[in-house]
Amino acid sequence: MRVRFAPSPTGFLHVGGARTALFNWLLARQSGGTFVLRIEDTDRARSSEAMTGAILRGLEWLGIDWDEGPFFQSDRVGEHTAGGRKLLAGGHAYRDFSTPEELARDRANIAALAGEATRAARRRAEALAPGEAEERAAAGEPHAVRFLVPEGSTDWEDAVHGPMRFRNRDIDDLVILRADGSPTYNLAVVCDDAHARIDMVLRGDDHLSNTPKQILLARALGLPVPRFGHVPLILGRDGKRLSKRHGATDIAEYRRDILPEAMVNFLALLGWSPGDDREVMELDEIVRRFSLKRILHKGSVFDADKLAWLNGRHLSRMDLARLGSLVTPRLAEPSQAADAAVKDRPGWYDNLLDLLRTRARSLDALARNVSLYLPGEIAYEPKAVRKHWKRRAQVEEYLNALRRTLDCCEWQTEPLERALRSLAAELGVAAGRLIHPLRVALTGQAVSPGIFDVLYHLGRDLSLDRIDRALETLAAGETDSAPAAQAAAASGGG
RNA sequence: GCCCUCAUCGUCUAACGGCUAGGACACCACUCUUUCAAGGUGGCGGUCGGGGUUCGAUUCCCCGUGAGGGCGCCA
């Protein structure tokens, strides 16, 4: 099987485009076929090299590699034009001398005149005297060339939707060569697909009405007609085609938080289902199980929550070494310190990652959490402070006691736990009364892994430093971003 | 206006014409726990409407309704 992905570089790699690429790629990989990448850059004004680069990088990130290409449609305009001339010579097309005003009028009438407007250009051409078109063309008068849509109907067996039929009278006599002689999209696609020997065209539903045109063009050109399949579009929350106003549609915007395998998994499940309840899948499993027959016929809504969940699942099960290699470059600024820590204590780093990833859904957030265990200033989350450092005098007392107790403790989780718990017993308070303020002191947050794991991974020096720093902060009354309110509350309570 | 496609919990989805319409995300409880997450248990919640065909319809047919896509000398 030979399939292709043919984006136009007038924008970045769109989520919907990524899914189309993925489905084609899956087809190629599972059938031992060939995946061809073609950049449709014939709109010179709107295409850019930067966008081509963005598309290639997006595909690479997802792990979608191509066997042939990237080819550029603009490299073959000569062939496309020749195809157009051949159609004209063979009587499958005609010269259209319509003025812009006439075309505008046709367009305006399209609602009023039912289907009749689509043949307006043809009728004007037919009204010309015999030989007139050739004379005017020979005289150099600019004109477009339109495909002469034949009578009858155009049928195909859609790989997704099943039997499909368009009445040809509903199909426009589409322009194949513009007045400047340049070929248009449908002609170029037909020529290029045939040239690349594409035998299966799987693309978005938005191309459904192009398909009969392309079939007709291919037949008129004597080219083989590929199979076609049309995948429903990806929708936004409001049920409309996914666009910028629904949030991020550029695949690149997800690189910050999302694992490529999670994105691929998510995209595969959008409009396709393996048929059972399996949801979290690796690439090889998706390749193995993918099937055109199980592609849904309706559009599906992009659910960012489910993507985040899926990302969390992949974060939790992926190879730890690879996770490390993704997280390390994202660590907060003192990168030498981070690099050193990672290099000198690989076991420590892996354990820490393992500890933190079970509650992570985003790569970036995970990296921010990892950073807390490296030397550096931490910020106290206002919410955590409000909740666990409310009674300042008592918190200071507890932290001082903890500081003394932990200082002479062996730095392993069990001894640390014994020490803290016996201190709690000594003070006659529940362990939680010590643990929560301590967590804020150590991480600045109200949530973290188990406190003894936190202490252990922070290490003695950093832990004690953080407690000292917390005591200073408490003493200075700088425990909130709204110090006035906090101070008032604190003094009122004491 | 014309053409095309589609319709199962809020969302992603499963169900040879035949078990009480199943699972997942989200949400809500409970559980575990020093917190959060993860895990476990439970709950909420759906076949667009109307006609047929059939012993039996989410499934097949027709008609509505609704939604989406297309109707460029863009791709």
Side-chain angles (χ1 to χ4, degrees):
Chain A
M1 185 173 335
R2 292 179 64 84
V3 296
R4 45 72 154 185
F5 176 56
S8 70
T10 53
F12 42 73
L13 180 60
H14 188 273
V15 169
R19 190 192 56 167
T20 301
L22 173 64
F23 281 11
N24 277 286
W25 182 88
L26 289 170
L27 238 34
R29 288 295 166 268
Q30 82 171 180
S31 68
T34 304
F35 179 66
V36 179
L37 180 60
R38 181 174 73 229
I39 305 295
E40 310 218 316
D41 59 342
T42 47
D43 186 342
R44 291 115 40 217
R46 292 195 302 152
S47 296
S48 81
E49 255 172 65
M51 288 307 168
T52 300
I55 290 168
L56 300 189
R57 281 195 304 278
L59 292 174
E60 280 162 357
W61 174 61
L62 290 168
I64 298 176
D65 54 349
W66 49 94
D67 306 303
E68 294 180 15
F71 300 118
F72 291 86
Q73 190 156 63
S74 58
D75 287 343
R76 287 179 29 87
V77 287
E79 282 82 353
H80 308 150
T81 309
R85 304 230 165 280
K86 185 180 164 194
L87 290 173
L88 187 59
H92 294 291
Y94 58 90
R95 301 184 195 275
D96 176 16
F97 294 90
S98 301
T99 64
E101 293 71 32
E102 284 170 324
L103 293 174
R105 187 153 23 89
D106 292 347
R107 190 105 42 91
N109 286 344
I110 202 165
L113 297 181
E116 285 305 289
T118 65
R119 294 285 182 250
R122 187 194 292 194
R123 283 201 303 275
R124 281 193 294 272
E126 285 167 348
L128 263 35
E132 182 181 345
E134 293 311 311
E135 282 167 30
R136 288 167 69 177
E141 184 175 339
H143 61 279
V145 174
R146 278 185 193 270
F147 182 61
L148 186 63
V149 173
E151 300 290 301
S153 67
T154 303
D155 302 18
W156 76 94
E157 183 72 20
D158 195 275
V160 173
H161 293 285
M164 208 65 95
R165 162 170 295 188
F166 277 70
R167 290 187 303 261
N168 291 359
R169 43 172 276 223
D170 293 325
I171 304 171
D172 274 5
D173 280 350
L174 56 146
V175 169
I176 53 177
L177 295 176
R178 301 186 185 90
D180 66 3
S182 63
T184 59
Y185 167 75
N186 282 297
L187 176 61
V189 165
V190 168
C191 293
D192 286 349
D193 282 343
H195 183 255
R197 305 191 322 281
I198 301 301
D199 48 25
M200 174 74 212
V201 173
L202 189 67
R203 67 213 321 193
D205 247 353
D206 50 339
H207 282 282
L208 213 39
S209 57
N210 282 323
T211 299
K213 299 175 187 174
Q214 293 177 12
I215 290 174
L216 256 15
L217 281 171
R219 285 196 193 133
L221 284 163
L223 297 172
V225 178
R227 292 177 69 205
F228 289 93
H230 294 88
V231 194
L233 301 179
I234 296 177
L235 281 13
R237 275 262 161 227
D238 56 1
K240 293 194 198 310
R241 172 187 196 146
L242 191 68
S243 70
K244 317 91 220 152
R245 68 200 163 75
H246 296 113
T249 55
D250 178 356
I251 202 82
E253 290 185 54
Y254 291 92
R255 295 181 71 151
R256 183 181 191 78
D257 297 314
I258 304 293
L259 253 15
E261 58 264 45
M263 181 55 90
V264 162
N265 192 165
F266 176 72
L267 252 22
L269 253 20
L270 216 49
W272 171 77
S273 151
D276 57 23
D277 293 335
R278 295 268 309 150
E279 293 205 290
V280 185
M281 290 180 283
E282 303 301 329
L283 198 52
D284 58 335
E285 184 176 1
I286 299 173
V287 168
R288 213 173 328 114
R289 307 188 66 184
F290 186 73
S291 148
L292 282 173
K293 286 183 211 69
R294 298 204 64 93
I295 293 182
L296 274 276
H297 295 188
K298 62 164 189 171
S300 29
V301 175
F302 187 94
D303 181 0
D305 283 340
K306 189 141 185 178
L307 171 60
W309 170 76
L310 214 37
N311 197 49
R313 306 299 305 146
H314 281 277
L315 281 171
S316 294
R317 62 189 259 166
M318 72 187 294
D319 177 72
L320 212 45
R322 191 165 85 83
L323 178 58
S325 73
L326 291 173
V327 168
T328 312
R330 293 162 197 266
L331 295 176
E333 354 155 7
S335 59
Q336 302 101 315
D339 286 349
V342 171
K343 216 167 272 165
D344 298 347
R345 298 184 288 164
W348 168 84
Y349 187 60
D350 283 353
N351 284 339
L352 177 61
L353 275 177
D354 206 21
L355 215 49
L356 292 171
R357 69 171 170 174
T358 61
R359 71 209 75 218
R361 289 191 154 197
S362 136
L363 256 184
D364 209 53
L366 174 59
R368 281 199 300 277
N369 276 329
V370 170
S371 297
L372 296 177
Y373 294 80
L374 295 168
E377 290 290 295
I378 55 167
Y380 300 107
E381 211 174 68
K383 224 174 93 185
V385 167
R386 237 175 291 128
K387 186 158 183 197
H388 298 299
W389 280 6
K390 197 168 183 177
R391 300 158 80 173
R392 212 169 71 187
Q394 194 174 65
V395 168
E396 282 183 79
E397 182 198 328
Y398 290 162
L399 287 179
N400 272 312
L402 278 164
R403 158 92 236 215
R404 280 193 303 276
T405 305
L406 298 176
D407 194 16
C408 41
C409 188
E410 186 198 345
W411 216 262
Q412 295 292 333
T413 52
E414 289 84 20
L416 286 165
E417 175 158 13
R418 274 197 303 274
L420 184 143
R421 288 195 189 280
S422 54
L423 174 62
E426 218 175 281
L427 295 170
V429 298
R433 306 284 290 173
L434 303 181
I435 287 170
H436 295 304
L438 178 59
R439 172 175 290 114
V440 179
L442 295 176
T443 68
Q445 301 183 347
V447 309
S448 79
I451 196 73
F452 308 108
D453 284 320
V454 171
L455 282 165
Y456 173 74
H457 283 91
L458 228 31
R460 178 192 301 268
D461 292 348
L462 198 46
S463 295
L464 297 179
D465 279 355
R466 292 254 166 100
I467 295 174
D468 288 340
R469 161 84 206 290
L471 285 167
E472 285 165 24
T473 306
L474 282 161
E478 297 162 353
T479 53
D480 198 279
S481 51
Q486 191 62 29
S491 60

